[in-house]
Amino acid sequence: KPFPLILSPQTLLKSLSLSFLQLPEELRESWEEPTDPQAQQEIINSIEEVYFSNDTFDIVKYELERLPPVLSLQELEEHRDKLKQQQAAVSKKVADLILEKQPAYVQELERVTSLQNGLQLAAVICTDGRRHLNIAKEGFTQTSLGLLANQRKRQLLIGLLKSLRTIKTLQRTDVRLSEMLEEEDYPGAIQLCLECQKAASTFKHYSCISELNSKLQDTLEQIEEQLDVALSKICKNFDINHYTKVQQAYRLLGKTQTAMDQLHMHFTQAIHNTVFQVVLGYVELCAGNTDTKFQKLQYKDLCTHITSDSYIPCLADLCKALWEVMLSYYRTMQWHENHDQDEAATVSSDGSSVVGTEENSFDRSYVKKKLEHGLSRIWQDVQLKVKTYLLGTDLSNFKYDDFIFVLDVISRLMQVGEEFCGSKSEVLQESIRKQSVNYFKTYHRTRLEELRMFLENETWELCPVKSSFHILQLHEFKFMVQSRSPSVSPSKQPASAISTAVTLFEQYCNGGNPFEIQADSKDDETEDVLASNGYESDEQEKSAYQEYDSDSDVPEELKRDYVDEQTGDAPMKSVSRETLKSKKKSDYSLNKGNAPILTNTTLNVVRLVGKYMQMMNILKPIAFDVIHFMSQLFDYYLYAVYTFFGRNDTFELTGLGLSSSRLRTTLNRIQESLIDLEVSADPTGTLTAAEERKEKVPSPHLSHLVVLTSGNSLYGLAERVVATESLVFLAEQFECLQPHLDAVMPAAKKPFLQQFYSQTVSTANELRKPVYWIVAAKAIDYEQMLLLMANVKWDVKEIMSQHNVYVDSLLKEFEEFNRRLNEVSKRVRVPLVVSNILWEHCIRLANRTLVEGYANVKKCSNEGRALMQLDFQQFLMKLEKLTDIRPIPDKEFVETYIKAYYLTENDMERWIKEHREYSTKHLTNLVNVCLGSHINKKARQKLLAAIDDIDRPKR
C-alpha cells in the first residue's frame, strides 16, 4: 500500500497562516487584539454544551430552530454578535494553543520526516524484492508448478474419463443382458452381471451407480428365474448345448446342488403336466365341445372320460410323451457322467487347487446320488400315472387285437422301466394283471362258446393247406420267430435287427420313439397258407399220381428217410427210400402229398392258441391262467372229437378197441371240469354251483350234415379221419409249443403243465383206436361170416384140399373194404398210421370172429381141425396181398386156438391157465369138442373146474 504523505513544519505553518487569513475580518481583528484571558475563558464557558456534542451536529440548523416566532432584528444582531464573540474566543484559544505547542510540534515533525525517509528507503527495498520475486515466480515456480498441476489435472481427467466410460458401459448393460438372454447365453449373462456388480461396487460413490447396483441385483434374480424356466425345458426335449449352458450358469452362481433339486421338481411336474395335457386333449377332442369343465378335473377323474375308440391312441401318445421325459432324464445322467469323467481327467492333468477340487468333488457326488435316487422316483411317478389311466377304463369288451396292443405297449413300458432303473414294475404288473384276468375270463368264455358253435357247425371237411404249412407262418405266431424286444409292430423289425445287448435308450437315444404306432404290412395280415383247390399247384395236381416221390415242397423234417407219424421223430435205424415207397403204398393219400390234415375249426383253435400265447408272452404274471384256458381249448376239442366219433358203448363192451385207462381218465376229467351236462340251471342251486356252471360249456352236438351211417362212405371215415387227425395235428402243435409254455409258467404251477402234456396232449393219438374201431366193426359183415361158418361140417373123416366158402366171402369183404378205402382216400388223405389201424382193427375183428366161429363148433375131428388151419392159411395168404401190415395181428390168437385141440389133458390144463385172452365160452367149447377124442369125462370135469376157477376172479 502507498505510504502516507509527511508534511514539513514550514508547510504546516503556512497552512495555518492561510487558515487565519481566511477568518472573518471581525474575528481576525479580535484575535489580533490583546485580550483578557479570563474574559476569554468566560466567553468560552458561556458556549452551550450542545456545540461540543459531536462532529455531526448541525449548528446552523440548531440556531435557526432556536429563533423566536417573532423575529427582532436587534435581538438577532445581538445574538449574532454574541456568537461571533464566542467564535473569536474559541479561535483565539486554538491559536494560542498551537503557538504554545509549536516547538514540540517541530520536534515531532522532524521525527516524522526522519521516519518518512526511512519508509521511503524501505519502500525502495520492498519494490526491488518484489520485482525479483516476480521474476522468480514467472521464470521458475509458476511454470513448473503449472506443468505439475496440469499433469495432475490430466491424470484426474483420464481417470474420470475411464470411470465415465465404465459408467456408460454399465448403463448399457441391460440391453446386452437382454440380448444374451434371448440368445440363451446364460453363463455369459451371469458372468456379465457379476462383473457389472463388481464394477458397480467400485463406483458406488456415484449416485447413478448406486441405483444401477440395485437394478443389477434385480436383473440377476430375473436371470435366475429365466434359468429355472430354461432348466424346466430340459425335461421334455434334452439338448446337450442348452443343458451345458444351464449347468455352467448354475455353477457361476454357485448353485449346482440347488439346480439339481430344482431339476427333479421340474421332472415331477413335467410328468404330471404331460399326462394331464395328453389325456385332456383326447377327452376334449372326443367331447366335441369347448367346455372347459374338463380342465378343472383331477387326472384320475379325467381318465374315466376316455372313450374306447380313443383309448389306444391316447395310451400310445401317453407312453410316447413319458418316454420323452425319461429319455431326457437318461440323457441328463449321461451328460453328468461324461462331464464328470472329463473334469476328473482335467484335474488329474493340471492339478488344480485342493480346496476347489474338494468342493467340485462334493458337488459331483451330490449330483450323482441325487440323479440315481431320482431314477426310481421318476419311474414310480410314471407307473402311477399309467396305472391310473389303465384302471380308468373297463377293457373287458375290447377287441383282442386292441387288448394285445395295450399289453404290448405296457410290456414295452415295463421293459423301459427295467432298463431305466432296474424296476420290475410291480405297480404296472399288478394293474395290467387285474385288467388282463378280467378281460381274459370274458374273452375265453366267449371263445369257448364260439368253439362250441364252430364244432357244432363243422362238417369235418378238409381245409387245404400247403405241405410246407407250419403254425409259425400264421400271423398270431409271428412274435415267436422274431428275436426282438416287445414292440407295438411285431412284424416290422427283422429278427436280427436288434441285439439283446442294445437297450431301448441306446437304440432311440438320437431319435425315434419305441411307442410309435406302425401299421403292420398286408403280408403279415393275409398270410398265404392255403393251397389252391387242395393242391400245392396245377403241376402237382396233374402229377399227383405219377410223381408221388416228388418232395420239392415237403418240409425238411419230412425229407428224412422215414418219419414217425405219431411222434414226428426219425427212427434210430434209417429206412431206405425203397422201403419208404413200399410203406407209402398203404398211405391212401397219393393225390395230396403230405399236407397236414386239419379243418377250419382246427385252424381257428391254432390261431386262438397263438393269441393266447401272445397275451401270455406279453404278460407273464397271468401265464398260468392263460395256459389253463389254453388247455381247456384242447380239452374241449378232444372231448368233441371223442363225443362225435369215438363214443360207442356197444363196441367198448366187447373188450376190444377200448380206450386206454389214461384216455378214459382224461375224458372223465374233462367231462367233470369243463362240460355242463345240465339242461337248465337249478333254481335252488348255491351261488358257488352257479359260478362253477358259468365256467363250464355245454357238450357239443355233431352237425346233422355229417352222416356216419352210410356203408358207401365207410361210415363217415373221411370225416373221422379229418376229425381225428386234426386233433393229432393240434396235439403236435401243442408239443412244439411246450418249451415256450414251460419257459413262462411259474415254477409252482409247472406240475400242472407237465400233467396236461403227459395225460391229455399225449393221449390224442390214442383216440384213433376207438374212432376207427367203430368203422372197422361196421365195414366187414362179421355176422354173415359166422352164419357161413355155422353151416360148415367139421367132423370130416378125410383131409380136405379145398378151403371153405366163408373164407372167400370174408376176403371179398376185405377187398370191398380196400376199394371203399381207396375211394375215401380220393377225398381225404388217409395217413399210413390210420390205414394201418383200420386194417389192424378189421383183421383183429375177423380173427376173433374166426375164433368165435370155431368155438361154436359142436363136433370136430382131427381132419376138421386141419381144415380150419387150411381155411386160416388161405385167408392169411390172400390177406397179405391186400395189406402191408406185418405181422398179421392176432394171427397167433387163431392158430393157438386151433392147435389147442391136439393137446393132452395135462397140457390143456396148463394151456387154459396160461391163455386168459380167450373167453370162458371159447375154453369150454374147446374142452367139450375134445371130449371123446382124447379127453374123457373125468378130464373134462377137471378142465371145466379149471376154467371156472379162472373165470371166478372176473366175477
Side-chain angles (χ1 to χ4, degrees), residues 400 440 443-444 447-456 458 460 463 469 471 474 476-477 598-614 626 629-641 723 726-734 737 756:
Y400 174 80
F440 204 68
Y443 180 79
H444 177 64
R447 299 292 81 76
L448 277 179
E449 290 292 343
E450 285 180 1
L451 179 57
R452 181 170 74 93
M453 182 186 70
F454 273 116
L455 289 169
E456 290 184 347
E458 179 63 69
W460 302 102
C463 177
F469 170 73
I471 60 171
L474 297 175
E476 287 78 5
F477 291 91
L598 50 95
T599 67
N600 285 325
T601 303
T602 320
L603 207 54
N604 284 327
V605 172
V606 171
R607 288 182 184 275
L608 207 52
V609 168
K611 290 180 178 181
Y612 280 33
M613 288 192 67
Q614 278 185 31
V626 176
F629 290 145
M630 197 187 302
S631 71
Q632 288 186 347
L633 296 176
F634 186 83
D635 287 347
Y636 197 69
Y637 195 94
L638 171 68
Y639 186 82
V641 172
S726 67
L727 174 66
V728 173
F729 171 80
L730 192 59
E732 289 172 354
Q733 306 318 305
F734 268 83
L737 298 174
F756 169 66

Side-chain angles (χ1 to χ4, degrees), residues 20-21 25-35 88 92:
F20 179 76
L21 290 174
E25 186 177 351
E26 295 85 356
L27 290 176
R28 191 169 63 248
E29 291 177 357
S30 62
W31 190 32
E32 291 177 353
E33 294 178 356
T35 57
K92 178 81 168 141

Side-chain angles (χ1 to χ4, degrees), residues 284-544:
E284 290 184 339
L285 182 66
C286 295
N289 56 39
T290 56
D291 192 354
T292 57
K293 66 177 182 180
F294 296 116
Q295 297 178 358
K296 299 175 183 177
L297 292 177
Q298 293 291 324
Y299 172 70
K300 184 177 181 181
D301 300 326
L302 195 64
C303 288
T304 60
H305 289 79
I306 288 288
T307 62
S308 299
D309 293 337
S310 62
Y311 186 86
I312 287 179
C314 183
L315 176 63
D317 285 350
L318 200 65
C319 291
K320 281 196 286 186
L322 290 171
W323 162 261
E324 294 295 339
V325 175
M326 287 186 284
L327 180 62
S328 293
Y329 195 87
Y330 172 81
R331 294 185 68 188
T332 302
M333 290 193 69
Q334 266 194 333
W335 185 93
H336 280 281
E337 287 177 7
N338 296 335
H339 183 72
D340 290 349
Q341 291 174 1
D342 294 344
E343 200 170 66
T346 304
V347 169
S348 61
S349 62
D350 62 4
S352 301
S353 64
V354 177
V355 177
T357 304
E358 288 180 356
E359 187 176 349
N360 290 339
S361 176
F362 179 78
D363 283 346
R364 287 199 301 271
S365 175
Y366 178 85
V367 168
K368 184 178 180 181
K369 288 180 180 178
K370 190 77 176 177
L371 286 170
E372 290 173 352
H373 179 66
L375 282 170
S376 56
R377 278 186 55 195
I378 287 174
W379 177 239
Q380 190 69 10
D381 287 344
V382 169
Q383 281 194 95
L384 292 173
K385 296 298 182 186
V386 177
K387 173 191 175 183
T388 304
Y389 181 82
L390 279 176
L391 300 180
T393 303
D394 183 11
L395 306 182
S396 60
N397 296 319
F398 270 40
K399 293 180 181 178
Y400 174 80
D401 290 338
D402 291 343
F403 190 75
I404 283 294
F405 185 90
V406 173
L407 292 187
D408 212 359
V409 170
I410 299 303
S411 175
R412 169 59 67 93
L413 189 60
M414 287 193 285
Q415 183 188 353
V416 169
E418 187 166 356
E419 293 178 2
F420 189 65
C421 60
S423 170
K424 296 300 179 184
S425 308
E426 290 82 1
V427 173
L428 277 179
Q429 284 192 14
E430 180 59 25
S431 58
I432 202 65
R433 191 192 68 80
K434 285 181 182 178
Q435 287 283 31
S436 298
V437 171
N438 181 36
Y439 174 83
F440 204 68
K441 282 184 178 179
T442 306
Y443 180 79
H444 177 64
R445 177 67 191 177
T446 308
R447 299 292 81 76
L448 277 179
E449 290 292 343
E450 285 180 1
L451 179 57
R452 181 170 74 93
M453 182 186 70
F454 273 116
L455 289 169
E456 290 184 347
N457 289 280
E458 179 63 69
T459 57
W460 302 102
E461 293 290 335
L462 188 67
C463 177
V465 294
K466 293 180 179 180
S467 61
S468 60
F469 170 73
H470 194 276
I471 60 171
L472 294 182
Q473 296 168 353
L474 297 175
H475 172 69
E476 287 78 5
F477 291 91
K478 287 288 182 182
F479 73 95
M480 291 178 61
V481 294
Q482 292 170 338
S483 57
R484 60 176 183 84
S485 54
S487 173
V488 175
S489 298
S491 58
K492 298 306 286 186
Q493 300 171 356
S496 60
I498 303 171
S499 170
T500 53
V502 178
T503 67
L504 291 173
F505 287 96
E506 292 169 343
Q507 181 186 350
Y508 294 100
C509 188
N510 297 320
N513 196 302
F515 298 98
E516 284 291 344
I517 301 178
Q518 298 175 356
D520 291 345
S521 65
K522 271 191 175 178
D523 294 340
D524 295 336
E525 295 294 344
T526 57
E527 67 273 24
D528 183 18
V529 296
L530 300 179
S532 58
N533 300 322
Y535 298 95
E536 294 290 332
S537 66
D538 294 338
E539 293 293 327
Q540 286 182 347
E541 188 171 359
K542 292 175 185 175
S543 61

